């Protein structure tokens, strides 16, 4: 004969397993939808960088999955914070090594170019 406490514990385990299963399914759907993309009528125009279109790269599927999961507004906010932190790290590095402000600007520009090549800016 099982006690009520045993029933509660087994229910908690089942509930955790189901929750984890739901999270896994949602993540798989988000990743799969990143490869499929929205219908042609719902696609956003590609991002322009100095008159050029952003490139599709290694990180592009993750960016598309983030757009599906987080939404455009949240993704842009997170992307802006990441860019700001990276620029701050470049600035601190330049101060550490004694690089000129011109060199700092060139490094930030190079980071933007690399981000585009890797597909972070789609």
């Amino acid at each position: 004969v099982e006690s009520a406490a045993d029933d509660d514990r087994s229910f908690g385990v089942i509930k955790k397993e189901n929750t984890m299963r739901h999270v896994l399914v949602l993540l798989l759907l988000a990743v799969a939808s990143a490869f499929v993309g929205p219908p042609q009528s719902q696609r956003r125009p590609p991002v322009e960088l100095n008159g050029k279109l952003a490139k599709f790269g290694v990180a592009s599927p993750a960016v598309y999955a983030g757009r599906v999961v987080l939404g455009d507004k949240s993704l842009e906010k997170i992307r802006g914070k990441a860019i700001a932190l990276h620029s701050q790290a470049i600035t601190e590095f330049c101060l550490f090594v004694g690089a000129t402000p011109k060199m700092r600007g060139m490094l930030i520009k190079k980071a933007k170019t690399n981000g585009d090549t890797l597909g972070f800016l789609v």
Side-chain angles (χ1 to χ4, degrees), residues 40-111:
Q40 191 69 22
S41 62
Q42 294 179 353
R43 289 197 178 152
R44 293 175 29 154
V47 176
E48 287 194 26
L49 301 171
N50 299 330
K52 295 186 217 172
L53 297 178
K55 298 176 187 171
F56 187 90
V58 175
S60 296
V63 174
Y64 285 132
R67 181 168 283 135
V68 169
V69 173
L70 300 171
D72 285 342
K73 224 174 194 180
S74 295
L75 179 69
E76 293 301 322
K77 190 175 181 180
I78 291 170
R79 180 184 286 171
K81 285 181 182 180
I83 290 171
L85 286 172
H86 192 233
S87 295
Q88 185 180 8
I90 291 171
T91 301
E92 289 174 7
F93 172 76
C94 288
L95 290 174
F96 177 74
V97 298
T100 64
K102 183 177 179 181
M103 178 60 72
R104 177 188 160 273
M106 289 172 33
L107 285 172
I108 290 174
K109 190 173 185 177
K110 181 55 104 174

